Amino acid sequence: MSKNTVSDRFRKVDVDEYDENKFVDEEEGGENQLGPDEAEVDSLIRQGNLMGALQAVLKSPPINTKNQNVKDRAEGLVLKVLSSFKSTDIEKGVQSLDKNGVDLLMKYIYKGFERPSENSSAVLLQWHEKALSAGGVGCIVRVLTARKTV
Amino acid sequence: MSYHSFLLEPISCHAWNKDRTQIALCPNNHEVHIYKKDGNNWSKIHVLKEHNGQVTGIDWAPESNRIVTCGTDRNAYVWTLKGDVWKPTLVILRINRAARCVKWSPKENKFAVGSGSRLISVCYFEQDNDWWVCKHIKKPIRSTILCLDWHPNNILLAAGSCDFKCRIFSAYIKEVEEKPAPTAWGSKMPFGEVMFESTGTSGWVHGVCFSDSGNRVAWASHDSTVAVAEGGKTAVCASLTSETLPLLCVTFITENSLVAAGHDCYPVLFVYDSNKAAMSFGGKLDVPKQSAQKGMTARERFQNLDKKATTDSKEAVLESVHKNSISQISILNGGKAQCAKFCTTGMDGGMAIWDVKTLESAMKDLKIV
């Protein structure tokens, strides 16, 4: 065999990066998005105001930012709020959200499914059931087709 | 409302002739079949074989009685009826990917073809060479064009694309027509100019439709939304997220009402309020058969609980008329201003004809404004 067939590094080259017709999403400035306010949400949970905590944690979602830490922190915070709800209150929590809120909640739920921890999936599945009856399948379709997500 | 099952395979696309006695459809293969209505039945009278790939779009020009078809073999053919036979004329589209949709312009002197080559071919007949010639609209399209619709002024063309945008282009061809008068979408209309580009919805745009006046355009997107934009100094967009699966086709039936259908297998009505620039859900347009309510025995309840973890007695049978996704909707009578009848075809190989008056009286609270 000749020398230049020894290396197979060429197989790891991502050829799509060099395609001049490659589709690039439009840039929307999101560098200033910091996600929900941790201090505010924590204090609301401590006070027992779970509805308020839910509204607060769904404010200013880090959709446009490329900073992975901000997104992870936001997801952790949302999970904390969702887990602190009692099973019977989940339905009321979902009812208090508007259409966009339900869509956003569904995005966080699916993000949470991606990395399951201790008890997270069980809690998320209960929330998923209630969010599905409020938002319908259309809500899940929007999670799947969103180009920029939490 | 009537339903006729033509085939077991999906109907890829269909088109009606002027007096609605004949329908041309593609039975999911390389051919186009033309059926003629006699009484309550449909008989196949012509089979058009010329394409080498699946036929993805058919349009039948009502006045000049010509059919244009386009397919995955990257070709389009214009068919003219000579005596009792349809004769094809090849149109070179100069595309290197499949053609996806085709539409005659209102005056029938041009037609537009959307393709996977990320461009629209606008074709017109050149008298000197006795040949169909095409011009391309390329910028700023970034992906496949899925659907097209012409403005009544014969110049503007709305196109829905897989790059998540609905755009209105000018398809002004100076060889065949005069300079157009200003419209709600703008006054300067050189060929290929983008008069409007949508924002706000994501998801592939499956269906697009101009209203009868041409001042409004509606599109259905894969993120389960439907949106209407009204032309003006600044175009106003109103979109509505729906709780159903994505819609595949949309059409105006009056200036303010839209009917759309898709993967949920039944048509749905939407109403647009221009004062509030908002859309609302009008109602489901399917008339379900009244199934006899069977009481459940205790044994059945336990069985259900065991098998499906629920005591729900709903059977897993679709109650809608169409048993699979509806892929195309076309207006039969009344035009887009006062539609009286429309037709839907879908992946179940069936065609349903819906009567607007009957639907209005059958569904309570259904108001078509």
Side-chain angles (χ1 to χ4, degrees):
Chain A
M1 291 283 252
S2 53
K3 232 191 195 160
N4 64 353
T5 58
V6 167
S7 163
D8 66 349
R9 243 176 38 196
F10 69 90
R11 296 187 189 279
K12 300 200 174 81
V13 171
D14 181 9
V15 284
D16 285 333
E17 287 296 320
Y18 299 100
D19 183 6
E20 62 223 8
N21 290 329
K22 185 174 168 161
F23 184 83
V24 181
D25 274 301
E26 287 160 9
E27 297 289 323
E28 265 171 66
E31 298 320 317
N32 295 331
Q33 281 188 335
L34 298 167
D37 189 357
E38 219 168 324
E40 185 188 344
V41 173
D42 277 339
S43 71
L44 282 166
I45 299 183
R46 266 196 303 268
Q47 289 165 15
N49 180 1
L50 293 178
M51 293 293 186
L54 184 63
Q55 301 284 352
V57 85
L58 290 178
K59 266 195 302 207
S60 53
I63 289 188
N64 287 327
T65 180
K66 292 212 221 23
N67 188 343
Q68 196 51 39
N69 287 338
V70 175
K71 295 197 183 209
D72 289 342
R73 223 181 30 230
E75 175 60 31
L77 210 55
V78 170
L79 203 49
K80 201 155 86 171
V81 174
L82 295 186
S83 317
S84 49
F85 264 76
K86 277 207 294 274
S87 305
T88 41
D89 290 338
I90 293 183
E91 185 155 2
K92 267 202 304 239
V94 172
Q95 306 286 11
S96 74
L97 298 173
D98 63 347
K99 263 194 173 189
N100 290 337
V102 175
D103 281 351
L104 186 56
L105 175 65
M106 197 56 108
K107 286 201 177 110
Y108 275 119
I109 291 176
Y110 273 93
K111 186 90 197 292
F113 281 142
E114 279 172 39
R115 262 183 273 164
S117 58
E118 273 288 311
N119 201 22
S120 68
S121 290
V123 163
L124 287 174
L125 276 171
Q126 286 180 313
W127 278 92
H128 185 276
E129 190 196 343
K130 301 293 179 226
L132 180 60
S133 53
V137 244
C139 182
I140 299 184
V141 173
R142 273 183 287 285
V143 172
L144 297 173
T145 57
R147 297 293 292 179
K148 295 184 170 52
T149 180
V150 288
Chain B
M1 179 204 55
S2 60
Y3 179 80
H4 182 260
S5 174
F6 276 105
L7 323 147
L8 291 174
E9 295 96 14
I11 294 180
S12 315
C13 45
H14 75 269
W16 290 90
N17 69 344
K18 181 173 180 182
D19 53 10
R20 313 310 192 200
T21 52
Q22 293 183 31
I23 182 172
L25 50 85
C26 170
N28 205 36
N29 59 13
H30 304 341
E31 304 167 351
V32 174
H33 294 183
I34 301 187
Y35 285 81
K36 188 183 165 106
K37 190 173 174 66
D38 67 81
N40 269 340
N41 292 325
W42 294 84
S43 47
K44 195 188 310 189
I45 52 170
H46 290 118
V47 175
L48 275 45
K49 288 193 227 227
E50 196 75 20
H51 277 284
N52 280 327
Q54 189 201 25
V55 180
T56 50
I58 306 180
D59 201 17
W60 199 323
E63 302 304 324
S64 52
N65 204 36
R66 287 177 297 186
I67 299 180
V68 64
T69 57
C70 72
T72 56
D73 58 353
R74 315 186 301 269
N75 288 335
Y77 291 94
V78 174
W79 303 79
T80 357
L81 190 61
K82 297 248 164 53
D84 201 28
V85 184
W86 286 93
K87 288 263 178 342
T89 311
L90 173 66
V91 178
I92 306 273
L93 297 172
R94 296 186 282 132
I95 55 181
N96 54 11
R97 293 287 185 278
R100 284 294 261 112
C101 49
V102 64
K103 273 276 163 75
W104 281 108
S105 70
K107 292 213 184 83
E108 297 168 23
N109 52 2
K110 310 184 280 196
F111 61 87
V113 180
S115 68
S117 298
R118 307 131 61 108
L119 51 84
I120 305 175
S121 298
V122 180
C123 308
Y124 61 98
F125 195 66
E126 213 167 59
Q127 211 51 56
D128 315 332
N129 294 337
D130 195 24
W131 185 241
W132 286 91
V133 166
C134 79
K135 276 189 160 174
H136 286 166
I137 300 178
K138 279 206 195 150
K139 293 198 172 38
I141 303 172
R142 317 271 309 284
S143 191
T144 306
I145 297 283
L146 286 179
C147 50
L148 294 166
D149 194 34
W150 286 90
H151 188 284
N153 75 354
N154 212 54
I155 308 282
L156 297 177
L157 182 61
S161 166
C162 281
D163 62 3
F164 323 121
K165 297 231 180 283
C166 164
R167 297 183 180 90
I168 299 183
F169 291 98
S170 160
Y172 166 63
I173 307 259
K174 62 181 191 304
E175 283 88 346
V176 299
E177 54 208 350
E178 311 268 303
K179 238 176 166 202
T183 66
W185 300 100
S187 35
K188 286 229 180 295
M189 291 181 250
F191 180 81
E193 179 85 0
V194 180
M195 315 300 291
F196 166 76
E197 191 173 86
S198 72
T199 49
T201 53
S202 55
W204 306 318
V205 180
H206 286 295
V208 72
C209 182
F210 267 112
S211 69
D212 187 58
S213 64
N215 292 333
R216 298 184 185 157
V217 69
W219 66 93
S221 182
H222 197 70
D223 59 351
S224 290
T225 58
V226 67
V228 171
E230 185 145 17
K233 268 210 218 21
T234 41
V236 177
C237 280
S239 67
L240 181 68
T241 53
S242 84
E243 294 176 355
T244 56
L245 293 175
L247 296 159
L248 291 175
C249 47
V250 65
T251 183
F252 276 92
I253 51 169
T254 66
E255 192 70 16
N256 295 321
S257 305
L258 304 141
V259 169
H263 289 294
D264 270 314
C265 319
Y266 53 77
V268 166
L269 176 73
F270 292 99
V271 180
Y272 175 69
D273 184 341
S274 55
N275 297 331
K276 287 188 261 175
M279 290 190 51
S280 56
F281 178 69
K284 200 170 127 161
L285 292 180
D286 211 6
V287 190
K289 287 195 284 278
Q290 301 294 347
S291 50
Q293 296 289 0
K294 296 188 303 200
M296 280 190 80
T297 62
R299 183 188 167 78
E300 275 169 2
R301 257 186 227 284
F302 276 119
Q303 273 186 331
N304 256 348
L305 198 57
D306 186 35
K307 271 193 264 186
K308 299 185 235 179
T310 168
T311 48
D312 218 347
S313 65
K314 210 153 51 135
E315 287 170 14
V317 169
L318 262 186
E319 289 176 351
S320 54
V321 168
H322 276 283
K323 298 302 177 202
N324 207 328
S325 311
I326 295 176
S327 52
Q328 195 177 343
I329 190 170
S330 56
I331 306 260
L332 291 180
N333 293 341
K336 288 190 212 167
Q338 273 303 127
C339 174
K341 279 205 185 144
F342 61 89
C343 154
T344 50
T345 56
M347 313 243 230
D348 56 352
M351 170 200 71
I353 298 185
W354 309 78
D355 184 308
V356 171
K357 283 266 167 337
T358 330
L359 286 169
E360 247 181 316
S361 50
M363 327 237 114
K364 302 185 277 280
D365 308 330
L366 192 82
K367 266 181 299 179
I368 300 187
V369 294

